[in-house]
Amino acid sequence: MKLVAREIDLGSRSPTVLLNTADATELGVHQLDRVQIEHDGRLSIGIVEFTEELVDPGTLGVTRRLGHLVGSVDVIPAPQPTAVHYIKKKLDDVELEKHELQRIVLDIKQDRLSDVELGAYVTATYTNGLSLAETMHLAECMADVGDAIQWDDAVVADKHSIGGVAGNRVTPIVVSIVAAAGLKIPKTSSRAVTSPAGTADTMEVLCDVAFSLEEIKQIVTETNGCLVWGGSVNLSPVDDKIIRAETPLSIDPPGQIIASVLSKKKSAGSTHIVVDIPYGEGAKVESLAAARELAQDFKRVGDHLGMTIECTITRGSQPIGRGVGPILEARDVLDTLAGDGPEELRLKSLRLADILLESCGCESEAAEILDSGRALAKFREIVAAQGGNPDVTADDLVPGRHELLVAADRDGVVTHVDNRLVSDVARRAGAPKDKGAGITLHCRVGDEIHTDDPLFTVHAESKDKLADAERLVGQSETVRVRSRDEALVERV
Amino acid sequence: MKLVAREIDLGSRSPTVLLNTADATELGVHQLDRVQIEHDGRLSIGIVEFTEELVDPGTLGVTRRLGHLVGSVDVIPAPQPTAVHYIKKKLDDVELEKHELQRIVLDIKQDRLSDVELGAYVTATYTNGLSLAETMHLAECMADVGDAIQWDDAVVADKHSIGGVAGNRVTPIVVSIVAAAGLKIPKTSSRAVTSPAGTADTMEVLCDVAFSLEEIKQIVTETNGCLVWGGSVNLSPVDDKIIRAETPLSIDPPGQIIASVLSKKKSAGSTHIVVDIPYGEGAKVESLAAARELAQDFKRVGDHLGMTIECTITRGSQPIGRGVGPILEARDVLDTLAGDGPEELRLKSLRLADILLESCGCESEAAEILDSGRALAKFREIVAAQGGNPDVTADDLVPGRHELLVAADRDGVVTHVDNRLVSDVARRAGAPKDKGAGITLHCRVGDEIHTDDPLFTVHAESKDKLADAERLVGQSETVRVRSRDEALVERV
């Protein structure tokens, strides 16, 4: 069918084309069918949407992506992309071959699938699961379509956490220890989306975090380590697109987690990785058994990709560390490196660092490296290489000046510190945008508490945001204190 | 967060809003999350997409649907709609309650779900299936959100076919017989999308087919019947939206078919319905067992909705009738009503009409009504009521003047007439847009054939389209002729 193409601002990443319903009927295409568009001897594929108003009969509306199609075009129905057949196959619970997953990954990367099809893909991998073989293939394919860093070293260390625990800023400490031990560790981290701080947000308090692959390579060559934001490089471009479709449905199938994490590590050129899997009430993985299974699968898929994976299963039912929020966490990190941080943050960092060092064939001397000040010196080196002030101290980092001290209203024992609520209150207070906003925790589960003892302090940079946070504190129970017998037995 | 809203032409039915990535990070929302937008004291909900280019920080791009939002707005994160929780529940294979399906249906109707969520819904109903109870609730909810027709009559007849068989234009004949027997039968039909003619396309050769509910009521009150296009009324508005998401994935779960069909019949006020389920190679239902199961479920769901359902399971592996295409099928209908049509079309129509008449408590006198000319008279009455010429005869309807006769290239037996290929060739020839385009079949499966015997004729209104159709005929085997032994045993 001869049509006249014109660009229409659809804000869509996929190659959507708008057909007037009358033209669509004549062409014999359904909504979301593909059409082949010929223009100046070149062929493009479009995904059809109908409209009665936005374009008239005879006109083809094209998104910016197809913006080169201007003027006379010839449109005919095209077959569904093969990726859709493979998604259908997965829907029918048939195990996918590597080349089939490759096709799906490639089509997702190039935004060739409609959202309905993408929704079907993530749903199918959730309801029918991904086999170990599928997970291996998927990780490989996802790495293949991303950029990669090459290292001359035989051993390149790395670290990842499944996340979901407030505070828990072990990464800068682990990276500093491992880099100080002489190993390369090119660590990329995320920014917070629904949490009050990602490692990238925390590091941004001290230095730049957005670098190109070239720059990352140079920083690591200079210092052995880096602590940068993964979002400015393109190690696994398909990952974000899959997560976009999974998030609204709150699905996060284990096979997809493994493929996402390991594809990025593979592209980063890492060979030995410690993966931290926090588990427990409110964490991403709720049971020990599920955590162990996930750990085994991580190791197997890593094996397949030629990487050595060590997993740590850690208690994730309450925050780790004292501070929650970019500046407060950066202070904890600096304090710990200086030998004066919260005990659990120090212990967890040392344990993870030792496991990673051992895995890489080094001695497990994390405590020595930390206590001797070598880790702190290495951290300052990395901060400097990333354009920050290497002489910064915890005292230079000032939390928001508006404060709210929340105290216990009874005697008893702390039975729960809610990760989710700690995060929500810190976000209401302004984190991660307001770097000084967040929470300082004054207690941990098991602590004996008397009426009026401080439980936590909320910090904010603005009075309004502190009031917002205070409202949420009033409506919920961030820190649960119960009498000794209530702590043991809850009557329902 | 205070933003300035401006309309941006997104061509999206759902309430999409575009946020600059920087603003989205500050708000703490993912793509496809919901935000609540306050404007002049009124609250709206938007589905978030990110952009780096289309809107600047500080601006909220809104689709036409939210076009009333202009100027200063206040945006905060909003929870996912409850429908998404229920979709997640179905993904986890938990049976949904009626109020949960109701929420999903309502949100689909109002385009409140993103395409990813809609894709997850249809995928979940496909992989996990819909229970009988869910199907009943779904049919009821889908009917409830549509417009409805009220009749004073205790018995209102209706007819539906699952489709997928070329030709098969029994509907106008059944409706004419049943209406002539004194029963009301308000029949709405579809137009072709991938087939060469729907009943609505065929009737449009003779009269108008697009009417409002009021007009339909008047036509049926006058004549007892109607043969109109369902697309111009709003009997089950959710149906089209679900089909839009199912089609690209080629999924069509039985529970969803039943809910779609019966919700429309319920809204049309029908009480007694005959549902034709063609089965066999190339039909929508491939096995007799599956057809029987579908029939039982249709009857049970009908029962629940207070409707009496009779199902017919018919052989659907080859076309029914002689003509395929709007004019050619209209000729078959007029010929059959005049006592001179293709034998199988006559037999199938009579059988369906008798079953429907019996079900409604009338005598099964379809043959008598047809042979006496009363059905033809009734058909003419309906054509007149729908603004057509009641005196039309088959000879007035002229097929496309460009013809291609396809003859047998060997002696043998017809072993297969391919529904799909018959449809494709007829469409290439111009059907349904070119009313005179299509195919006349000269043989049926089992017919003994000699070399050069005519198999079928392709009709087209333009030479170019005939050439298109001829190419497809040359590349494929629309009618399969085999020697007697080949017909019995195919060597692979």
Side-chain angles (χ1 to χ4, degrees):
Chain A
M1 179 184 283
K2 301 274 180 211
L3 296 171
V4 176
R6 71 173 174 87
E7 193 181 320
I8 182 163
D9 192 359
L10 286 164
S12 159
R13 275 166 200 79
S14 49
T16 306
V17 295
L18 276 178
L19 277 172
N20 187 283
T21 311
D23 289 341
T25 307
E26 185 172 347
L27 262 175
V29 289
H30 300 97
Q31 289 186 82
L32 303 182
D33 272 354
R34 263 58 174 193
V35 288
Q36 178 190 295
I37 309 156
E38 189 181 338
H39 177 65
D40 273 349
R42 271 183 62 196
L43 301 179
S44 312
I45 294 290
I47 302 178
V48 173
E49 291 280 3
F50 291 1
T51 178
E52 309 263 350
E53 295 170 23
L54 289 176
V55 307
D56 293 326
T59 302
L60 181 75
V62 299
T63 48
R64 181 171 300 194
R65 171 167 176 172
L66 296 171
H68 58 280
L69 301 173
V70 180
S72 176
V73 293
D74 199 12
V75 179
I76 59 170
Q80 293 298 84
T82 44
V84 175
H85 294 289
Y86 303 146
I87 291 171
K88 178 76 194 304
K89 205 172 152 187
K90 186 72 210 169
L91 274 183
D92 289 329
D93 208 7
V94 181
E95 189 172 20
L96 295 183
E97 315 261 341
K98 181 164 179 197
H99 75 96
E100 296 171 333
L101 284 160
Q102 203 162 29
R103 190 73 255 168
I104 292 173
V105 165
L106 213 61
D107 278 10
I108 293 177
K109 184 195 173 195
Q110 302 186 333
D111 294 312
R112 285 208 208 105
L113 301 182
S114 71
D115 270 5
V116 164
E117 292 152 357
L118 195 60
Y121 168 71
V122 301
T123 304
T125 59
Y126 175 75
T127 56
N128 294 332
L130 286 166
S131 73
L132 194 64
E134 286 176 322
T135 305
M136 288 172 181
H137 298 324
L138 190 59
E140 222 171 335
C141 298
M142 285 174 71
D144 285 349
V145 299
D147 295 337
I149 320 185
Q150 313 287 339
W151 304 100
D152 295 331
D153 313 68
V155 171
V156 176
D158 214 334
K159 185 253 160 202
H160 181 82
S161 171
I162 297 303
V165 178
N168 198 26
R169 204 50 60 214
V170 298
T171 298
I173 305 166
V174 172
V175 167
S176 302
I177 294 171
V178 172
L183 290 168
K184 280 208 172 51
I185 179 162
K187 176 71 180 115
T188 60
S189 302
S190 54
R191 285 189 194 277
V193 178
T194 55
S195 78
T199 293
D201 302 296
T202 301
M203 287 308 298
E204 210 173 22
V205 169
L206 307 168
C207 55
D208 293 337
V209 294
F211 296 98
S212 69
L213 279 191
E214 287 314 302
E215 291 168 328
I216 289 173
K217 192 151 187 191
Q218 198 181 328
I219 294 165
V220 175
T221 303
E222 235 170 77
T223 69
N224 272 348
C226 71
L227 286 153
V228 301
W229 177 44
S232 54
V233 288
N234 206 25
L235 295 173
S236 183
V238 167
D239 196 36
D240 284 351
K241 297 174 196 285
I242 289 176
I243 287 173
R244 169 176 166 277
E246 286 178 345
T247 308
L249 304 166
S250 318
I251 60 181
D252 205 357
Q256 193 63 59
I257 294 179
I258 295 171
S260 288
V261 171
L262 296 188
S263 63
K264 280 186 194 155
K265 297 305 183 194
K266 180 80 186 164
S267 293
S270 309
T271 61
H272 292 69
I273 302 135
V274 61
V275 175
D276 182 33
I277 306 176
Y279 83 97
E281 187 187 343
K284 279 202 189 166
V285 178
E286 297 236 322
S287 80
L288 184 59
R292 283 184 177 144
E293 204 176 313
L294 185 61
Q296 286 307 326
D297 285 351
F298 255 111
K299 292 171 81 85
R300 289 190 195 106
V301 175
D303 233 34
H304 175 78
L305 295 172
M307 298 189 288
T308 304
I309 313 287
E310 296 294 331
C311 290
T312 56
I313 297 176
T314 53
R315 268 179 289 277
S317 53
Q318 67 173 324
I320 298 280
R322 211 158 34 201
V324 175
I327 280 185
L328 293 160
E329 294 179 23
R331 286 169 59 106
D332 275 2
V333 166
L334 282 167
D335 281 343
T336 305
L337 286 167
D340 186 32
E343 183 62 12
E344 329 81 59
L345 187 61
R346 172 189 159 87
L347 285 177
K348 184 167 173 181
S349 303
L350 288 177
R351 193 83 192 91
L352 262 57
D354 269 339
I355 288 170
L356 185 52
L357 287 171
E358 267 174 45
S359 164
C360 293
C362 300
E363 276 183 63
S364 47
E365 47 177 12
E368 197 193 306
I369 295 173
L370 187 70
D371 294 341
S372 67
R374 283 162 59 204
L376 178 59
K378 179 54 75 179
F379 182 71
R380 294 193 186 287
E381 228 180 280
I382 294 172
V383 167
Q386 293 186 196
N389 169 18
D391 301 321
V392 68
T393 65
D395 291 341
D396 299 333
L397 307 176
V398 186
R401 66 187 180 89
H402 300 278
E403 291 189 1
L404 169 74
L405 179 70
V406 179
D409 58 1
R410 68 185 89 178
D411 292 353
V413 177
V414 175
T415 59
H416 187 58
V417 182
D418 193 293
N419 271 311
R420 187 75 244 163
L421 278 170
V422 165
S423 292
D424 288 350
V425 171
R427 284 192 65 94
R428 289 281 183 100
K433 175 99 194 299
D434 298 347
K435 298 278 184 202
I439 282 184
T440 303
L441 292 163
H442 305 303
C443 62
R444 287 185 64 72
V445 169
D447 285 358
E448 191 135 350
I449 293 285
H450 297 287
T451 308
D452 293 336
D453 276 357
L455 298 176
F456 60 95
T457 302
V458 185
H459 308 263
E461 294 184 0
S462 90
K463 226 173 156 173
D464 285 357
K465 291 190 181 171
L466 188 69
D468 270 0
E470 189 170 2
R471 259 193 302 281
L472 180 55
V473 169
Q475 291 160 1
S476 56
E477 200 175 16
T478 311
V479 172
R480 207 182 294 155
V481 177
R482 291 288 178 272
S483 65
R484 285 228 163 262
D485 59 329
E486 274 180 317
L488 213 63
V489 181
E490 185 171 313
R491 182 172 174 177
V492 179
Chain B
M1 179 182 282
K2 302 274 180 210
L3 296 171
V4 176
R6 70 174 176 86
E7 194 180 317
I8 182 162
D9 192 359
L10 287 164
S12 159
R13 276 166 200 80
S14 48
T16 305
V17 296
L18 276 178
L19 276 173
N20 187 283
T21 310
D23 287 341
T25 306
E26 185 172 347
L27 261 176
V29 290
H30 299 98
Q31 288 186 83
L32 303 182
D33 272 354
R34 264 61 173 189
V35 287
Q36 176 190 296
I37 309 155
E38 188 181 339
H39 177 66
D40 272 349
R42 270 184 63 197
L43 301 179
S44 312
I45 292 290
I47 301 178
V48 172
E49 291 281 3
F50 290 0
T51 178
E52 310 260 351
E53 295 171 22
L54 289 176
V55 307
D56 294 324
T59 303
L60 181 76
V62 299
T63 47
R64 180 170 301 192
R65 171 166 176 176
L66 295 172
H68 58 282
L69 301 173
V70 181
S72 175
V73 293
D74 198 12
V75 180
I76 60 170
Q80 293 298 83
T82 45
V84 175
H85 295 288
Y86 302 147
I87 291 172
K88 178 74 195 305
K89 203 172 154 187
K90 185 73 209 167
L91 275 183
D92 288 330
D93 207 8
V94 182
E95 190 172 19
L96 295 183
E97 315 261 342
K98 183 167 178 195
H99 75 96
E100 296 170 331
L101 284 160
Q102 202 163 29
R103 189 73 254 169
I104 292 172
V105 164
L106 213 62
D107 278 8
I108 293 177
K109 185 196 173 195
Q110 302 185 334
D111 294 311
R112 286 208 208 105
L113 300 183
S114 72
D115 270 5
V116 164
E117 292 152 358
L118 195 59
Y121 169 72
V122 301
T123 305
T125 59
Y126 174 74
T127 55
N128 294 332
L130 286 165
S131 72
L132 194 65
E134 286 176 322
T135 306
M136 287 171 182
H137 297 324
L138 189 60
E140 222 171 335
C141 297
M142 286 175 71
D144 285 349
V145 298
D147 295 337
I149 320 184
Q150 313 287 341
W151 305 101
D152 295 331
D153 314 67
V155 172
V156 176
D158 213 332
K159 185 251 161 205
H160 182 81
S161 171
I162 296 301
V165 178
N168 197 28
R169 205 50 60 214
V170 298
T171 298
I173 305 165
V174 172
V175 168
S176 302
I177 294 171
V178 171
L183 289 168
K184 280 207 172 50
I185 180 164
K187 176 72 180 114
T188 60
S189 302
S190 54
R191 286 187 195 278
V193 177
T194 54
S195 79
T199 294
D201 302 297
T202 302
M203 286 308 297
E204 208 172 25
V205 170
L206 308 168
C207 56
D208 294 336
V209 293
F211 296 98
S212 68
L213 279 191
E214 286 314 301
E215 291 167 330
I216 290 173
K217 191 149 187 190
Q218 197 181 331
I219 294 165
V220 176
T221 304
E222 235 172 72
T223 69
N224 271 349
C226 70
L227 286 153
V228 301
W229 177 43
S232 54
V233 288
N234 206 26
L235 295 174
S236 183
V238 167
D239 197 34
D240 284 349
K241 296 176 197 282
I242 289 176
I243 287 173
R244 169 176 168 278
E246 286 177 345
T247 308
L249 303 166
S250 317
I251 59 181
D252 206 356
Q256 193 63 57
I257 295 179
I258 295 171
S260 288
V261 171
L262 296 188
S263 63
K264 280 185 193 153
K265 297 306 183 194
K266 180 81 185 166
S267 292
S270 309
T271 61
H272 291 69
I273 302 136
V274 61
V275 176
D276 183 32
I277 305 176
Y279 82 97
E281 186 186 344
K284 281 200 188 169
V285 178
E286 298 236 320
S287 79
L288 184 56
R292 283 183 178 145
E293 202 175 314
L294 185 61
Q296 286 306 327
D297 284 350
F298 255 113
K299 292 171 83 83
R300 288 190 196 107
V301 176
D303 233 36
H304 174 77
L305 296 172
M307 300 190 287
T308 305
I309 314 288
E310 297 294 332
C311 291
T312 57
I313 296 176
T314 54
R315 267 178 290 276
S317 53
Q318 66 172 325
I320 297 280
R322 211 158 35 201
V324 175
I327 279 183
L328 292 160
E329 294 179 23
R331 286 169 58 106
D332 274 3
V333 167
L334 281 167
D335 281 344
T336 305
L337 286 166
D340 187 29
E343 184 62 10
E344 330 80 58
L345 188 61
R346 173 189 159 87
L347 286 177
K348 183 166 174 181
S349 303
L350 288 178
R351 194 83 191 91
L352 262 58
D354 269 340
I355 288 170
L356 185 52
L357 287 171
E358 268 175 43
S359 163
C360 294
C362 301
E363 276 184 63
S364 47
E365 47 176 13
E368 199 192 305
I369 295 173
L370 187 71
D371 295 341
S372 67
R374 283 162 60 203
L376 180 58
K378 178 55 73 180
F379 183 72
R380 294 191 184 289
E381 227 180 280
I382 294 171
V383 167
Q386 294 188 194
N389 169 18
D391 301 322
V392 67
T393 66
D395 291 341
D396 299 333
L397 307 177
V398 186
R401 67 187 180 87
H402 300 278
E403 290 190 1
L404 168 74
L405 180 70
V406 179
D409 58 1
R410 68 185 90 179
D411 292 354
V413 177
V414 176
T415 60
H416 187 58
V417 182
D418 192 294
N419 271 312
R420 187 75 245 162
L421 277 170
V422 165
S423 291
D424 288 350
V425 171
R427 284 192 65 95
R428 289 280 183 100
K433 173 100 194 298
D434 299 347
K435 299 277 185 202
I439 282 184
T440 303
L441 292 163
H442 306 303
C443 62
R444 287 184 62 74
V445 170
D447 285 359
E448 192 134 352
I449 292 287
H450 296 287
T451 309
D452 293 336
D453 276 357
L455 298 177
F456 60 96
T457 303
V458 185
H459 308 265
E461 293 183 359
S462 92
K463 227 174 156 173
D464 285 356
K465 291 191 181 172
L466 189 69
D468 271 359
E470 188 170 2
R471 259 192 302 281
L472 179 57
V473 169
Q475 291 158 0
S476 55
E477 200 176 15
T478 313
V479 172
R480 206 182 297 156
V481 177
R482 291 290 179 272
S483 65
R484 283 227 165 264
D485 58 333
E486 274 180 315
L488 213 60
V489 180
E490 185 170 312
R491 181 173 175 176
V492 180

